[in-house]
Amino acid sequence: MRYIRPVWLTHSGEKKDFEVYSCHVSPDGTRLVTAAGDGFVRIWSTEAIYNAWDPNFKKPRQLASMSYHSGTIHSVRFAGNGQYLASGADDKIVCIYKYDPNPPSQSSVFGSNESPPVESWKIFRRLIGHDNDVQDLGWSYDSSILVSVGLDSKVVIWSGYTFEKLKTLVSHQSHVKGLTFDPANKYFATASDDRTIKIWRFTSPGPNSSAHDQMNNFTLEKTIAAPFVGSPLTTYFRRCSWSPDGNHIAAANSVNGPVSSVAIINRGTWDGDINLIGHEAPVEVCAFSPRLFKRQDPSKMHDPKGMPVHTVIACAGQDKTLSVWITTNPRPLIIGQDVAVKSVTDLAWSPDGKNLFVSTLDGTILAVQFENSEIGYEASLDENEKALAKFGAGRRGAGIIEGTNGLLLEEKSKEGEMRGVEGRMGALMGDAVPQSAALTNGDSGPANNVLSNGSANASELPDGQANGENNSEQTAKTIDPNAAKLERLKNRVTITKDGKKRIAPLLVSAAGNESSLPRPQLMASSSTAHGAQNDQPQSILDLSKPFDGLPKGGLSALLLGNKRRLAQLEGVEDDHIEKKIAIAGQDGAIPILSNTTNGLVPAKPVNSPVGQQSTPDFIRPAVINPALTVSQLRLAVPKIRLHIVRTYGTNNAQTQPPNDYGSTGYQATAIETTIEARNPTQISSIGRAQDQEPCRIVVTKRGTPVFQDYLPRSALLVTGTKEFWAVACEDGSVYTWTPAGRRMLSTLVLESQPVMLECQDRWLLCITATGLCYVWDMKSLTSPHPPVSLAPILDIAVHSLQDHPTRAPAVTGARLNSEGRIVVTLTNGEGYAYSPTMYVWQRLSELWWMVGSQYWNSTDSSVGNLRSASTLGKGVSASNVSAGVIPFLERTTTSEVLARGRAQLLNRLVKQLLSREGFEGFESAVSIAHLENRIAAAMMLGAKDEFQVYLYMYAKRIGAEGLKTKVDELLAGLMGPCYEGTDKEEIVWRNGQIFEDRLWGNKSNVICGWSRTELLEGVVLILGKNRDLQRITVPYAKALGVVHGPDGTIEDGMI
């Protein structure tokens, strides 16, 4: 080992040498850059440093010097590609310098001692994003991003290509003083004075990625606090380092009891039991050598690949001591004491791992050269790549432009993105024009109305686009759904005490179309162009803890509160009861109390019933239906209610039923039609139970009777639309009427009692107690498919292996879309839809996507604004109801899972999998599969708007991942076979059921209601910025006319 300390290697001033705060070596090893308190960034020749002892060496020592900061420079770093150099200072600015191969034009400044520059480094960018001193910088290993940290507690991420600010992370609670990057390009770590190190997961952005593209990126993986409890806050830096094999992080300024140490943190588990102990004062900086080493010379061994490798790490800090460790030795290999007069600030290794540079606060810059026999023999770079391959290290380059057409396509793609960004900025500044036809899955509007069975009535949605057809009139004209209600409120007439009529005043704040409450987030405009959709989740689900849906004490506590006193019991002291309750709840148990009118009373134990019990009155018939005894599943039958009322609004939209006091809670002017079912209140007057009094059905319109009818059995469920009315009775019969009261059909007789009765437009759905689903078209009086059982989706395949009946997931809601497709939600959070063309259930939403996909809750409103599982957002607007089915199911999954805390264990399992070998691409694969599932579901349901949104999200993701085969398949599927013009009716229908435009290979120019050309152009523009894919995308761009041929004409040979 040899120390080299040239006299000229310093930032000298008139009276003293300035403090040197940072140093770094270029990727080719020929340059050393240093930064100091004089505000200069100086670049030195490493060859001149190594030959400082030779008086005959005449080559230039200082290559360049730059002074673009107005204060002390704290950090300076070369980019991995050697093209850029970054510096950060206490003027809150990050400066980017670019190497110019041309010789420098200027000479040394007149009156200064600066030597003339040898190389030309020009200022390229000045990045403004911090509110306080910039303390440290770091480039990713592929130079795709630059990260800066500072005393403002911020972590700012910049694009390594355009130097646009991609994201600002504000998670640390104090000054951030160090960072390091994972050599596998999966994580980076930041160290802060809040005594934590935070691990951030990221995916390298592409050359043309914008801040909008990276909203999903840069997520917090782990916060490590154990090694830093009680660590001192007096250090100027906390510069940590990542080992070249990617297995460990060396964390500076950690403690082991009362002793200062360097903690070695293991990758994946993010814990560690190894500490490097020996320094007498806090360690401020540690640096791994970038190469792996072997004990023996590989060139002299027969099998060099079988030799174990080790890493080398250097540590230094406030004790002015330099220590060098290797992983095969429990003690330090080298200890250099008093290498400087003041603290060591930074360490930098040369790319070959044999030279170490040290900067200190006394202005000293020294180099340490190691021999092979001291730290080992360097292994080949293949060993580094092999070690990183198990973590999924696959570095994709920026790509090469495939000709002028590829460059034009890239410019078109960037132009579309910029229009989307300008639209978002316009909305942010308040100059965007509000539109009601927003994105398919925009923010939710007013809560829709609820049916008796807990599911939404889809008939409340406006009529219009059926089966995904575009309604240009509705699109062109903006319709305000609150205009009619607002007009009625303005003209509301009240009668004063003296009998005079007056128009009630309307508050100014309530007269606007926009709510006066603060909005949870800025929603994207509907005019975003060419796939610049809002595909990021607007909030992060914390699945590590269960969600308490009800307060302590359950539903009664939610309604009555917990602040009730204990009832006074005769002969018992009050404090005795309180002590008894306190003892019962010591271990976390909740004592059972009866909430009486006098107060809380401890529940009395009741003996369990023995023998045959009498059947409750509300369960009828008393004789067990044979269909129930042989059925594989049974659903709970609703109780018979005395009075069932359903009210429908002006658009035949169902509203809330009246409350216990007979008030509907709505103005009389808003009521259109009401259907009532009045069941008998007592046993028949002749005394025979089977001869009960009839059930009376009354339909009124604005208080005027429309028709009245009588049914022989009690009604269980009622529903209706503008097309028909329907009532299901306790004996399994279903009755239907026209809007005027004419019976449409003879009584429909089912095998068991009805459990759910829903309707949508012309369709009627009935689910029975045996789990059979019946769907009828009340216009053509037909059924699209035979009755289908719910058994497959209730885990019947698992429970049928057991001998006794077991508890299965319950059905929380069932509904129909505009095409008569059955949509069912369960208590386990899963959502299903039945495909009548394939005669099978399809799972559209489940817990797996929620935990593993990065796109969960995307293009949807905030999870913090959860709505009832029975409502749909107004994002459906001009489309049919199926356009909201997929986000509706995913919201239901979120609410069910959070309410029951079921995601905790699975989320823990997924986090462990991400750090294992073989699961490097797990999160990416699940996210892509989730988008593919969404696209298939939207196509099956005919959800036109959702299909386009999910298709563009999918194209953006597979383009960013560089999946050439999937990109080629997607473009070929959108292009479709050569087609000729056909009639639209022939395209849509075949055999009365199959929709031709729902198939990728159909012979028409329409797919899921969209023109193939329109979708293909949008996808090509999204993929156009990915240079690695331009060999695939450019031919399609030529065919579509997005780019032109060499002679300026459109090349349309593909169409």
Short mmCIF file of all heavy atoms in Angstrom, two decimals, residues 183 241-250 264-265 274 276 287-295 307-315 323-333 349 353 374-379 383-384 387-388:
data_model
loop_
_atom_site.label_atom_id
_atom_site.label_comp_id
_atom_site.label_asym_id
_atom_site.label_seq_id
_atom_site.Cartn_x
_atom_site.Cartn_y
_atom_site.Cartn_z
N PRO A 183 -26.49 -1.68 -7.35
CA PRO A 183 -25.88 -1.95 -8.66
C PRO A 183 -26.76 -2.77 -9.59
O PRO A 183 -26.54 -2.76 -10.80
CB PRO A 183 -24.59 -2.72 -8.30
CG PRO A 183 -24.82 -3.24 -6.93
CD PRO A 183 -25.71 -2.26 -6.24
N SER A 241 -23.01 3.00 1.32
CA SER A 241 -22.52 2.39 0.09
C SER A 241 -23.15 1.02 -0.09
O SER A 241 -23.45 0.33 0.89
CB SER A 241 -20.99 2.28 0.13
OG SER A 241 -20.51 1.68 -1.06
N TRP A 242 -23.37 0.64 -1.37
CA TRP A 242 -23.95 -0.66 -1.72
C TRP A 242 -22.85 -1.54 -2.30
O TRP A 242 -22.04 -1.09 -3.12
CB TRP A 242 -25.06 -0.47 -2.75
CG TRP A 242 -26.16 -1.49 -2.63
CD1 TRP A 242 -26.04 -2.84 -2.70
CD2 TRP A 242 -27.55 -1.23 -2.40
NE1 TRP A 242 -27.26 -3.45 -2.55
CE2 TRP A 242 -28.21 -2.48 -2.36
CE3 TRP A 242 -28.30 -0.07 -2.25
CZ2 TRP A 242 -29.58 -2.61 -2.17
CZ3 TRP A 242 -29.67 -0.19 -2.05
CH2 TRP A 242 -30.31 -1.44 -2.01
N SER A 243 -22.80 -2.78 -1.86
CA SER A 243 -21.75 -3.68 -2.30
C SER A 243 -21.89 -4.00 -3.79
O SER A 243 -23.01 -4.00 -4.32
CB SER A 243 -21.78 -4.97 -1.48
OG SER A 243 -22.98 -5.68 -1.71
N PRO A 244 -20.80 -4.29 -4.49
CA PRO A 244 -20.88 -4.52 -5.94
C PRO A 244 -21.65 -5.78 -6.32
O PRO A 244 -22.12 -5.88 -7.44
CB PRO A 244 -19.41 -4.62 -6.36
CG PRO A 244 -18.68 -5.00 -5.12
CD PRO A 244 -19.41 -4.35 -4.00
N ASP A 245 -21.80 -6.74 -5.39
CA ASP A 245 -22.60 -7.93 -5.69
C ASP A 245 -24.06 -7.74 -5.34
O ASP A 245 -24.87 -8.64 -5.54
CB ASP A 245 -22.05 -9.16 -4.95
CG ASP A 245 -22.00 -8.95 -3.44
OD1 ASP A 245 -22.38 -7.85 -2.98
OD2 ASP A 245 -21.57 -9.87 -2.72
N GLY A 246 -24.42 -6.56 -4.80
CA GLY A 246 -25.81 -6.23 -4.51
C GLY A 246 -26.36 -6.84 -3.25
O GLY A 246 -27.55 -6.67 -2.96
N ASN A 247 -25.53 -7.53 -2.44
CA ASN A 247 -26.05 -8.25 -1.28
C ASN A 247 -26.15 -7.40 -0.03
O ASN A 247 -26.97 -7.70 0.84
CB ASN A 247 -25.16 -9.47 -0.98
CG ASN A 247 -25.38 -10.60 -1.96
OD1 ASN A 247 -26.51 -10.87 -2.36
ND2 ASN A 247 -24.31 -11.25 -2.38
N HIS A 248 -25.33 -6.36 0.10
CA HIS A 248 -25.26 -5.63 1.37
C HIS A 248 -25.21 -4.13 1.16
O HIS A 248 -24.79 -3.64 0.11
CB HIS A 248 -24.01 -6.06 2.17
CG HIS A 248 -23.91 -7.52 2.41
ND1 HIS A 248 -23.14 -8.35 1.62
CD2 HIS A 248 -24.50 -8.33 3.33
CE1 HIS A 248 -23.24 -9.60 2.06
NE2 HIS A 248 -24.06 -9.61 3.09
N ILE A 249 -25.64 -3.42 2.22
CA ILE A 249 -25.49 -1.97 2.31
C ILE A 249 -24.65 -1.68 3.53
O ILE A 249 -24.91 -2.19 4.64
CB ILE A 249 -26.85 -1.26 2.44
CG1 ILE A 249 -27.76 -1.58 1.25
CG2 ILE A 249 -26.67 0.24 2.57
CD1 ILE A 249 -29.15 -1.02 1.40
N ALA A 250 -23.61 -0.87 3.37
CA ALA A 250 -22.81 -0.40 4.50
C ALA A 250 -23.35 0.95 4.93
O ALA A 250 -23.33 1.91 4.14
CB ALA A 250 -21.34 -0.31 4.10
N ILE A 264 -23.81 -3.44 8.54
CA ILE A 264 -23.93 -4.13 7.25
C ILE A 264 -25.35 -4.68 7.17
O ILE A 264 -25.73 -5.58 7.93
CB ILE A 264 -22.89 -5.25 7.12
CG1 ILE A 264 -21.48 -4.70 7.34
CG2 ILE A 264 -23.01 -5.92 5.77
CD1 ILE A 264 -21.07 -3.63 6.35
N ILE A 265 -26.14 -4.13 6.24
CA ILE A 265 -27.56 -4.47 6.09
C ILE A 265 -27.71 -5.44 4.93
O ILE A 265 -27.19 -5.21 3.84
CB ILE A 265 -28.40 -3.20 5.87
CG1 ILE A 265 -28.23 -2.24 7.06
CG2 ILE A 265 -29.86 -3.54 5.67
CD1 ILE A 265 -28.81 -0.86 6.82
N ILE A 274 -24.15 -7.91 11.40
CA ILE A 274 -22.72 -7.65 11.28
C ILE A 274 -22.47 -6.15 11.46
O ILE A 274 -23.16 -5.32 10.86
CB ILE A 274 -22.19 -8.11 9.91
CG1 ILE A 274 -22.43 -9.62 9.73
CG2 ILE A 274 -20.71 -7.78 9.77
CD1 ILE A 274 -22.03 -10.12 8.37
N LEU A 276 -19.11 -3.34 11.74
CA LEU A 276 -17.67 -3.07 11.67
C LEU A 276 -17.32 -2.09 12.78
O LEU A 276 -17.67 -0.91 12.72
CB LEU A 276 -17.30 -2.49 10.30
CG LEU A 276 -17.78 -3.30 9.08
CD1 LEU A 276 -17.29 -2.64 7.79
CD2 LEU A 276 -17.29 -4.74 9.15
N ALA A 287 -17.34 3.25 1.68
CA ALA A 287 -17.41 3.04 0.23
C ALA A 287 -16.91 1.63 -0.10
O ALA A 287 -15.78 1.27 0.28
CB ALA A 287 -16.59 4.09 -0.52
N PHE A 288 -17.76 0.87 -0.78
CA PHE A 288 -17.34 -0.43 -1.30
C PHE A 288 -16.52 -0.24 -2.57
O PHE A 288 -16.81 0.63 -3.38
CB PHE A 288 -18.56 -1.29 -1.62
CG PHE A 288 -19.10 -2.07 -0.45
CD1 PHE A 288 -20.24 -1.64 0.22
CD2 PHE A 288 -18.49 -3.24 -0.04
CE1 PHE A 288 -20.74 -2.36 1.28
CE2 PHE A 288 -18.99 -3.97 1.02
CZ PHE A 288 -20.11 -3.52 1.69
N SER A 289 -15.51 -1.09 -2.73
CA SER A 289 -14.79 -1.11 -3.99
C SER A 289 -15.73 -1.65 -5.08
O SER A 289 -16.51 -2.57 -4.84
CB SER A 289 -13.56 -2.01 -3.87
OG SER A 289 -12.94 -2.17 -5.13
N PRO A 290 -15.70 -1.08 -6.28
CA PRO A 290 -16.65 -1.50 -7.32
C PRO A 290 -16.36 -2.88 -7.91
O PRO A 290 -17.16 -3.36 -8.72
CB PRO A 290 -16.50 -0.40 -8.38
CG PRO A 290 -15.12 0.12 -8.20
CD PRO A 290 -14.84 0.02 -6.74
N ARG A 291 -15.26 -3.51 -7.54
CA ARG A 291 -14.91 -4.81 -8.11
C ARG A 291 -14.96 -5.89 -7.04
O ARG A 291 -14.83 -5.63 -5.84
CB ARG A 291 -13.50 -4.76 -8.71
CG ARG A 291 -13.34 -3.76 -9.83
CD ARG A 291 -14.17 -4.12 -11.06
NE ARG A 291 -13.67 -5.33 -11.70
CZ ARG A 291 -12.76 -5.33 -12.66
NH1 ARG A 291 -12.25 -4.19 -13.10
NH2 ARG A 291 -12.37 -6.47 -13.21
N LEU A 292 -15.18 -7.11 -7.49
CA LEU A 292 -15.07 -8.28 -6.63
C LEU A 292 -13.64 -8.81 -6.71
O LEU A 292 -12.98 -8.69 -7.75
CB LEU A 292 -16.06 -9.36 -7.06
CG LEU A 292 -17.55 -8.98 -6.96
CD1 LEU A 292 -18.40 -10.10 -7.54
CD2 LEU A 292 -17.95 -8.71 -5.53
N PHE A 293 -13.16 -9.41 -5.62
CA PHE A 293 -11.78 -9.86 -5.54
C PHE A 293 -11.71 -11.34 -5.16
O PHE A 293 -12.65 -11.88 -4.56
CB PHE A 293 -11.00 -9.03 -4.52
CG PHE A 293 -10.83 -7.58 -4.91
CD1 PHE A 293 -11.78 -6.63 -4.57
CD2 PHE A 293 -9.72 -7.17 -5.63
CE1 PHE A 293 -11.64 -5.31 -4.93
CE2 PHE A 293 -9.56 -5.84 -6.00
CZ PHE A 293 -10.51 -4.91 -5.65
N LYS A 294 -10.57 -11.94 -5.52
CA LYS A 294 -10.28 -13.32 -5.15
C LYS A 294 -8.95 -13.37 -4.42
O LYS A 294 -8.06 -12.54 -4.64
CB LYS A 294 -10.25 -14.21 -6.39
CG LYS A 294 -11.60 -14.29 -7.11
CD LYS A 294 -11.56 -15.26 -8.28
CE LYS A 294 -12.94 -15.34 -8.93
NZ LYS A 294 -12.97 -16.31 -10.05
N ARG A 295 -8.82 -14.39 -3.58
CA ARG A 295 -7.62 -14.51 -2.76
C ARG A 295 -6.38 -14.84 -3.60
O ARG A 295 -5.28 -14.41 -3.30
CB ARG A 295 -7.83 -15.59 -1.70
CG ARG A 295 -8.48 -15.09 -0.43
CD ARG A 295 -7.57 -14.11 0.28
NE ARG A 295 -8.06 -13.75 1.61
CZ ARG A 295 -7.44 -12.91 2.41
NH1 ARG A 295 -6.34 -12.30 2.00
NH2 ARG A 295 -7.93 -12.62 3.59
N MET A 307 -13.48 -20.35 -7.52
CA MET A 307 -12.90 -19.68 -6.35
C MET A 307 -13.90 -18.72 -5.73
O MET A 307 -14.63 -18.02 -6.44
CB MET A 307 -11.63 -18.92 -6.76
CG MET A 307 -10.51 -19.80 -7.27
SD MET A 307 -9.13 -18.80 -7.85
CE MET A 307 -8.78 -17.82 -6.40
N PRO A 308 -13.97 -18.67 -4.39
CA PRO A 308 -14.89 -17.71 -3.76
C PRO A 308 -14.40 -16.28 -3.96
O PRO A 308 -13.21 -16.01 -4.08
CB PRO A 308 -14.85 -18.12 -2.29
CG PRO A 308 -13.53 -18.81 -2.12
CD PRO A 308 -13.24 -19.49 -3.42
N VAL A 309 -15.34 -15.35 -3.98
CA VAL A 309 -15.03 -13.93 -4.15
C VAL A 309 -15.35 -13.19 -2.87
O VAL A 309 -16.14 -13.65 -2.03
CB VAL A 309 -15.81 -13.33 -5.34
CG1 VAL A 309 -15.40 -13.97 -6.64
CG2 VAL A 309 -17.32 -13.48 -5.13
N HIS A 310 -14.74 -12.04 -2.70
CA HIS A 310 -15.02 -11.20 -1.55
C HIS A 310 -15.04 -9.74 -1.99
O HIS A 310 -14.58 -9.39 -3.08
CB HIS A 310 -13.99 -11.42 -0.44
CG HIS A 310 -12.59 -11.04 -0.83
ND1 HIS A 310 -11.68 -11.94 -1.32
CD2 HIS A 310 -11.94 -9.84 -0.80
CE1 HIS A 310 -10.54 -11.34 -1.59
NE2 HIS A 310 -10.66 -10.05 -1.28
N THR A 311 -15.58 -8.91 -1.13
CA THR A 311 -15.67 -7.48 -1.40
C THR A 311 -14.76 -6.73 -0.44
O THR A 311 -14.38 -7.24 0.62
CB THR A 311 -17.11 -6.96 -1.24
OG1 THR A 311 -17.58 -7.28 0.08
CG2 THR A 311 -18.02 -7.61 -2.26
N VAL A 312 -14.43 -5.51 -0.82
CA VAL A 312 -13.54 -4.65 -0.02
C VAL A 312 -14.30 -3.37 0.28
O VAL A 312 -14.96 -2.79 -0.61
CB VAL A 312 -12.24 -4.34 -0.79
CG1 VAL A 312 -11.35 -3.41 0.03
CG2 VAL A 312 -11.50 -5.62 -1.14
N ILE A 313 -14.21 -2.91 1.53
CA ILE A 313 -14.91 -1.69 1.93
C ILE A 313 -13.96 -0.81 2.73
O ILE A 313 -13.16 -1.30 3.54
CB ILE A 313 -16.17 -2.01 2.77
CG1 ILE A 313 -16.87 -0.72 3.18
CG2 ILE A 313 -15.86 -2.89 3.95
CD1 ILE A 313 -18.19 -0.94 3.89
N ALA A 314 -14.05 0.49 2.47
CA ALA A 314 -13.25 1.48 3.20
C ALA A 314 -14.17 2.37 4.01
O ALA A 314 -15.26 2.75 3.53
CB ALA A 314 -12.42 2.33 2.23
N CYS A 315 -13.75 2.71 5.24
CA CYS A 315 -14.56 3.53 6.14
C CYS A 315 -13.69 4.63 6.74
O CYS A 315 -12.49 4.42 7.01
CB CYS A 315 -15.17 2.69 7.27
SG CYS A 315 -16.06 1.22 6.73
N SER A 323 -10.02 2.97 7.62
CA SER A 323 -9.96 1.52 7.80
C SER A 323 -10.46 0.84 6.54
O SER A 323 -11.41 1.30 5.90
CB SER A 323 -10.82 1.08 9.00
OG SER A 323 -12.18 1.40 8.79
N VAL A 324 -9.79 -0.28 6.18
CA VAL A 324 -10.15 -1.06 5.00
C VAL A 324 -10.42 -2.48 5.45
O VAL A 324 -9.60 -3.09 6.16
CB VAL A 324 -9.02 -1.03 3.94
CG1 VAL A 324 -9.41 -1.86 2.72
CG2 VAL A 324 -8.73 0.40 3.53
N TRP A 325 -11.60 -3.00 5.05
CA TRP A 325 -12.04 -4.33 5.47
C TRP A 325 -12.29 -5.18 4.24
O TRP A 325 -12.61 -4.67 3.16
CB TRP A 325 -13.35 -4.25 6.28
CG TRP A 325 -13.35 -3.29 7.42
CD1 TRP A 325 -13.29 -1.93 7.36
CD2 TRP A 325 -13.43 -3.62 8.81
NE1 TRP A 325 -13.35 -1.38 8.61
CE2 TRP A 325 -13.43 -2.39 9.54
CE3 TRP A 325 -13.51 -4.81 9.52
CZ2 TRP A 325 -13.52 -2.35 10.92
CZ3 TRP A 325 -13.61 -4.78 10.92
CH2 TRP A 325 -13.59 -3.55 11.60
N ILE A 326 -12.16 -6.51 4.42
CA ILE A 326 -12.60 -7.46 3.41
C ILE A 326 -13.56 -8.44 4.09
O ILE A 326 -13.46 -8.69 5.30
CB ILE A 326 -11.42 -8.22 2.76
CG1 ILE A 326 -10.64 -9.02 3.80
CG2 ILE A 326 -10.51 -7.26 2.02
CD1 ILE A 326 -9.55 -9.89 3.18
N THR A 327 -14.49 -8.96 3.32
CA THR A 327 -15.57 -9.77 3.91
C THR A 327 -15.09 -11.12 4.43
O THR A 327 -15.81 -11.78 5.18
CB THR A 327 -16.66 -9.99 2.86
OG1 THR A 327 -16.07 -10.55 1.68
CG2 THR A 327 -17.35 -8.70 2.51
N THR A 328 -13.91 -11.56 4.06
CA THR A 328 -13.41 -12.86 4.54
C THR A 328 -12.60 -12.73 5.81
O THR A 328 -12.09 -13.75 6.31
CB THR A 328 -12.55 -13.53 3.44
OG1 THR A 328 -11.49 -12.65 3.08
CG2 THR A 328 -13.40 -13.84 2.23
N ASN A 329 -12.47 -11.53 6.33
CA ASN A 329 -11.65 -11.33 7.52
C ASN A 329 -12.46 -10.55 8.56
O ASN A 329 -13.00 -9.49 8.25
CB ASN A 329 -10.38 -10.54 7.16
CG ASN A 329 -9.33 -10.64 8.26
OD1 ASN A 329 -9.62 -10.96 9.41
ND2 ASN A 329 -8.08 -10.35 7.90
N PRO A 330 -12.56 -11.07 9.80
CA PRO A 330 -13.37 -10.36 10.80
C PRO A 330 -12.69 -9.10 11.34
O PRO A 330 -13.35 -8.30 12.00
CB PRO A 330 -13.53 -11.41 11.91
CG PRO A 330 -12.34 -12.30 11.78
CD PRO A 330 -12.03 -12.35 10.31
N ARG A 331 -11.44 -8.92 11.05
CA ARG A 331 -10.72 -7.74 11.53
C ARG A 331 -10.34 -6.85 10.34
O ARG A 331 -10.24 -7.34 9.21
CB ARG A 331 -9.46 -8.15 12.30
CG ARG A 331 -9.75 -8.91 13.57
CD ARG A 331 -8.48 -9.23 14.33
NE ARG A 331 -8.76 -9.93 15.57
CZ ARG A 331 -9.07 -9.34 16.72
NH1 ARG A 331 -9.10 -8.01 16.78
NH2 ARG A 331 -9.31 -10.05 17.80
N PRO A 332 -10.14 -5.58 10.58
CA PRO A 332 -9.78 -4.69 9.46
C PRO A 332 -8.44 -5.08 8.86
O PRO A 332 -7.49 -5.46 9.57
CB PRO A 332 -9.75 -3.30 10.09
CG PRO A 332 -9.57 -3.54 11.55
CD PRO A 332 -10.26 -4.83 11.84
N LEU A 333 -8.37 -4.99 7.56
CA LEU A 333 -7.15 -5.33 6.85
C LEU A 333 -6.09 -4.24 7.02
O LEU A 333 -4.91 -4.52 7.22
CB LEU A 333 -7.47 -5.54 5.37
CG LEU A 333 -6.33 -5.99 4.47
CD1 LEU A 333 -5.89 -7.39 4.86
CD2 LEU A 333 -6.76 -5.94 3.02
N TRP A 349 -13.41 5.21 -5.04
CA TRP A 349 -12.57 4.16 -5.60
C TRP A 349 -12.43 4.36 -7.11
O TRP A 349 -13.35 4.83 -7.78
CB TRP A 349 -13.18 2.79 -5.34
CG TRP A 349 -13.13 2.31 -3.93
CD1 TRP A 349 -14.04 2.53 -2.96
CD2 TRP A 349 -12.09 1.51 -3.33
NE1 TRP A 349 -13.67 1.93 -1.78
CE2 TRP A 349 -12.45 1.29 -1.99
CE3 TRP A 349 -10.89 0.99 -3.80
CZ2 TRP A 349 -11.69 0.55 -1.11
CZ3 TRP A 349 -10.11 0.24 -2.92
CH2 TRP A 349 -10.49 0.03 -1.60
N GLY A 353 -10.71 -0.76 -8.80
CA GLY A 353 -10.75 -1.16 -7.40
C GLY A 353 -9.41 -1.20 -6.71
O GLY A 353 -9.31 -1.72 -5.59
N GLU A 374 -2.49 -7.44 -1.18
CA GLU A 374 -3.06 -6.83 0.02
C GLU A 374 -4.57 -7.02 0.10
O GLU A 374 -5.10 -7.46 1.13
CB GLU A 374 -2.70 -5.34 0.06
CG GLU A 374 -1.22 -5.08 0.22
CD GLU A 374 -0.88 -3.61 0.11
OE1 GLU A 374 -1.63 -2.88 -0.58
OE2 GLU A 374 0.13 -3.19 0.69
N ILE A 375 -5.27 -6.69 -0.93
CA ILE A 375 -6.74 -6.79 -0.89
C ILE A 375 -7.25 -7.92 -1.77
O ILE A 375 -8.46 -8.19 -1.78
CB ILE A 375 -7.40 -5.46 -1.32
CG1 ILE A 375 -6.99 -5.10 -2.75
CG2 ILE A 375 -7.03 -4.35 -0.35
CD1 ILE A 375 -7.70 -3.84 -3.27
N GLY A 376 -6.41 -8.58 -2.51
CA GLY A 376 -6.83 -9.67 -3.36
C GLY A 376 -6.68 -9.33 -4.83
O GLY A 376 -6.36 -8.19 -5.21
N TYR A 377 -6.96 -10.33 -5.65
CA TYR A 377 -6.88 -10.16 -7.09
C TYR A 377 -8.28 -9.89 -7.65
O TYR A 377 -9.24 -10.57 -7.30
CB TYR A 377 -6.29 -11.42 -7.74
CG TYR A 377 -4.86 -11.70 -7.31
CD1 TYR A 377 -4.58 -12.42 -6.16
CD2 TYR A 377 -3.80 -11.22 -8.07
CE1 TYR A 377 -3.28 -12.67 -5.76
CE2 TYR A 377 -2.48 -11.47 -7.69
CZ TYR A 377 -2.24 -12.19 -6.53
OH TYR A 377 -0.94 -12.42 -6.15
N GLU A 378 -8.34 -8.88 -8.48
CA GLU A 378 -9.66 -8.49 -8.99
C GLU A 378 -10.22 -9.57 -9.90
O GLU A 378 -9.53 -10.14 -10.75
CB GLU A 378 -9.55 -7.16 -9.74
CG GLU A 378 -8.56 -7.17 -10.88
CD GLU A 378 -8.45 -5.80 -11.52
OE1 GLU A 378 -9.48 -5.34 -12.03
OE2 GLU A 378 -7.36 -5.22 -11.50
N ALA A 379 -11.52 -9.86 -9.70
CA ALA A 379 -12.23 -10.82 -10.54
C ALA A 379 -12.68 -10.12 -11.81
O ALA A 379 -12.73 -8.89 -11.90
CB ALA A 379 -13.42 -11.41 -9.79
N GLU A 383 -17.98 -11.75 -13.27
CA GLU A 383 -18.35 -12.15 -11.91
C GLU A 383 -19.34 -11.15 -11.31
O GLU A 383 -20.28 -11.53 -10.62
CB GLU A 383 -17.09 -12.26 -11.03
CG GLU A 383 -16.12 -13.34 -11.44
CD GLU A 383 -16.61 -14.73 -11.07
OE1 GLU A 383 -17.57 -14.83 -10.29
OE2 GLU A 383 -16.04 -15.72 -11.57
N ASN A 384 -19.12 -9.86 -11.55
CA ASN A 384 -20.09 -8.86 -11.09
C ASN A 384 -21.44 -9.07 -11.72
O ASN A 384 -22.48 -9.04 -11.04
CB ASN A 384 -19.57 -7.46 -11.40
CG ASN A 384 -18.39 -7.06 -10.55
OD1 ASN A 384 -17.38 -7.75 -10.52
ND2 ASN A 384 -18.50 -5.93 -9.84
N ALA A 387 -23.18 -12.10 -10.31
CA ALA A 387 -23.71 -11.87 -8.97
C ALA A 387 -24.98 -11.03 -9.00
O ALA A 387 -25.88 -11.22 -8.18
CB ALA A 387 -22.65 -11.20 -8.10
N LEU A 388 -25.05 -10.09 -9.95
CA LEU A 388 -26.21 -9.20 -10.02
C LEU A 388 -27.35 -9.82 -10.81
O LEU A 388 -28.50 -9.36 -10.71
CB LEU A 388 -25.81 -7.87 -10.66
CG LEU A 388 -24.80 -7.03 -9.90
CD1 LEU A 388 -24.40 -5.81 -10.70
CD2 LEU A 388 -25.36 -6.61 -8.54
#
